[in-house]
Amino acid sequence: MLVTLPAQTQDGGRSFDDALLAELLTEIRGRRAEFEQQQFISQDIVERYRALGVYRALVARRFGGDERSPAEFCRLVERIAEADGSAGWVASFGIGAVYLSALPLDTLRSLYARGPDLVFAGGIFPPQPAVFVDGGLRVKGRWSWASGCMGADVVGVGIAPKNSDGTGALPRMAVMPRSAVKIERNWDVVGLLGTGSHDLVVDDVVVPEEWTFVRGGKSALDEPLYRYPTLAFAAQVLSVVSLGIARAALDELRSMGSRASVTGAPKLGERVASQLETAKLEAELRAARSWFYGAIDDVWQCLLAGDDPAPDQVSMLRLSATHATRTAADVTRRAQMLTGMAGVYERCPIARQVRDVQMITQHAFLGDVTYQNAGAMLFGLSPLPGYL
């Protein structure tokens, strides 16, 4: 039987279907206002993510998935984020397949019994108390920031289990069908409005213990993808959204360069100050992006060789992700400043891009604590627990 292999990217990875992706990105660009107004990504777009392979990208081949590399997945999210930040953010949660790989093998077989294109969303914080009862753990509570929950098939919520003697066990995520969860639509924020990061409410659902896992814990799978540092990857798939947004902002800035000024001033692209600043912005974004993907490749090649990445390599994954996010936010805002009053109108894409990219800098994975931990390690000291 003749087997046709997927097309290869320049770095040896497999490309996604270019025609499907191009059509999807055009559709997303045309519907950005819709996503913001309704405060979630429409279900037909989620279904097109399925068709493209967003949700099977990081599922193991043994379950019918594509088992792509971290860089391949990040590049896909980056492309989608260029079209719309919220759409890229929701696509980034295809990383849920990596989280879920910490479930027992039998549970994973059951989870993917109907196919690998499973949409997972989670609300982790605040972890809610859960007690062991007959049949598993009794789960009850409310969780915030469940991005993409409106289109999910299964959801995970953060729990803090209590043993029978009252002692605490490691925090876990409890996985259950979307039908077991109530979504309270309260995503009232300044940016990334279309992510649908609403609250999840669960009322006395008993979740079998084998459907819970330690988030960031050891995977039940041994392929290189599932030995890649999980928490670092979780930060990277969010950070890369900012790179896509900043790229779109610079593209928009250049498209505005030939337009006549309403004040009679020289066109934006003809001003020396604009030329100097735009070149600096381009250089800064490209440099941050290069380090971001370079750090990924450094660890990935190590894993392919059968080795475990060194702590310093993992730290560079975290540091380059935070650096990329901060750089992208700065680049986007400075691009807006070059546009003058044109960049403050809602109809100008840069206005939305500034709001969206600034939201990403607020995420706990990408905060100043990254610099603290990376700096400590550079001095030969231990980072805070959970950093690596």
Side-chain angles (χ1 to χ4, degrees):
M1 180 176 67
L2 178 64
V3 177
T4 302
L5 297 176
Q8 299 287 304
T9 60
Q10 288 184 347
D11 63 354
R14 292 158 294 155
S15 64
F16 289 83
D17 187 302
D18 288 338
L20 279 180
L21 181 56
E23 289 180 8
L24 174 61
L25 297 183
T26 298
E27 184 79 10
I28 287 172
R29 289 188 183 96
R31 297 172 63 180
R32 291 180 290 204
E34 171 192 326
F35 305 149
E36 283 207 348
Q37 184 176 19
Q38 68 188 13
Q39 296 183 325
F40 64 91
I41 301 300
S42 301
Q43 189 61 35
D44 66 303
I45 297 296
V46 173
E47 296 306 321
R48 290 175 74 167
Y49 282 176
R50 281 194 221 261
L52 181 63
V54 170
Y55 300 112
R56 69 170 58 212
L58 300 177
V59 175
R61 292 190 185 97
R62 69 176 84 179
F63 303 123
D66 291 341
E67 204 175 302
R68 293 176 180 269
S69 73
E72 287 177 284
F73 185 71
C74 282
R75 286 191 175 94
L76 174 64
V77 173
E78 184 182 13
R79 289 285 308 280
I80 296 173
E82 287 181 31
D84 177 64
S86 290
W89 190 266
V90 169
S92 79
F93 287 92
I95 195 181
V98 173
Y99 294 155
L100 292 168
S101 75
L103 289 166
L105 279 174
D106 285 345
T107 304
L108 288 171
R109 293 188 187 100
S110 177
L111 185 69
Y112 294 118
R114 296 185 179 180
D117 299 299
L118 196 72
V119 184
F120 175 75
I124 304 165
F125 301 108
Q128 300 289 352
V131 295
F132 286 93
V133 297
D134 289 343
L137 285 140
R138 185 179 300 280
V139 179
K140 181 177 182 178
R142 174 189 293 269
W143 295 263
S144 298
W145 308 308
S147 298
C149 60
M150 297 292 289
D153 301 314
V154 293
V155 299
V157 294
I159 58 173
K162 292 289 185 182
N163 296 316
S164 58
D165 61 1
T167 60
L170 286 174
R172 290 174 167 261
M173 288 197 78
V175 179
M176 63 194 76
R178 160 69 179 83
S179 58
V181 176
K182 176 185 176 183
I183 296 175
E184 184 167 312
R185 294 176 58 177
N186 59 352
W187 187 233
D188 184 17
V189 289
V190 297
L192 294 178
L193 289 166
T195 62
S197 304
H198 305 295
D199 279 9
L200 302 178
V201 180
V202 177
D203 187 16
D204 281 335
V205 174
V206 176
V207 179
E209 188 174 359
E210 63 269 22
W211 284 85
T212 70
F213 64 92
V214 177
R215 184 172 176 270
K218 182 176 174 58
S219 173
L221 309 176
D222 58 4
E223 291 87 352
L225 174 60
Y226 308 105
R227 293 190 292 112
Y228 191 87
T230 305
L231 295 180
F233 197 12
Q236 288 172 319
V237 299
L238 304 180
S239 175
V240 79
V241 174
S242 65
L243 291 176
I245 294 172
R247 168 48 54 203
L250 290 187
D251 290 347
E252 180 65 24
L253 178 65
R254 287 199 300 273
S255 75
M256 297 172 70
S258 60
R259 300 175 193 171
S261 170
V262 295
T263 65
K267 296 177 181 178
L268 177 64
E270 296 173 351
R271 303 171 196 170
V272 172
S274 297
Q275 295 166 357
L276 289 171
E277 181 70 351
T278 300
K280 292 176 183 177
L281 297 179
E282 187 71 31
E284 291 171 26
L285 182 62
R286 285 176 180 259
R289 184 179 185 274
S290 179
W291 182 25
F292 177 87
Y293 282 108
I296 292 177
D297 187 61
D298 186 35
V299 169
W300 186 241
Q301 293 305 317
C302 179
L303 290 169
L304 292 180
D307 300 322
D308 292 327
D312 286 346
Q313 290 177 294
V314 180
S315 182
M316 289 303 103
L317 294 179
R318 297 297 306 269
L319 184 57
S320 63
T322 296
H323 174 72
T325 299
R326 301 299 181 87
T327 300
D330 184 52
V331 163
T332 305
R333 174 63 181 133
R334 285 157 61 193
Q336 183 190 40
M337 291 177 68
L338 287 175
T339 67
M341 289 302 296
V344 304
Y345 288 97
E346 284 290 336
R347 64 176 178 268
C348 179
I350 293 182
R352 177 185 292 109
Q353 288 155 353
V354 168
R355 295 198 308 271
D356 287 350
V357 79
Q358 293 297 336
M359 281 283 290
I360 302 174
T361 67
Q362 300 294 107
H363 198 280
F365 282 171
L366 302 164
D368 283 349
V369 70
T370 304
Y371 296 119
Q372 176 187 341
N373 284 310
M377 291 185 65
L378 289 170
F379 281 108
L381 305 175
S382 297
L384 296 171
Y387 176 63
L388 299 178

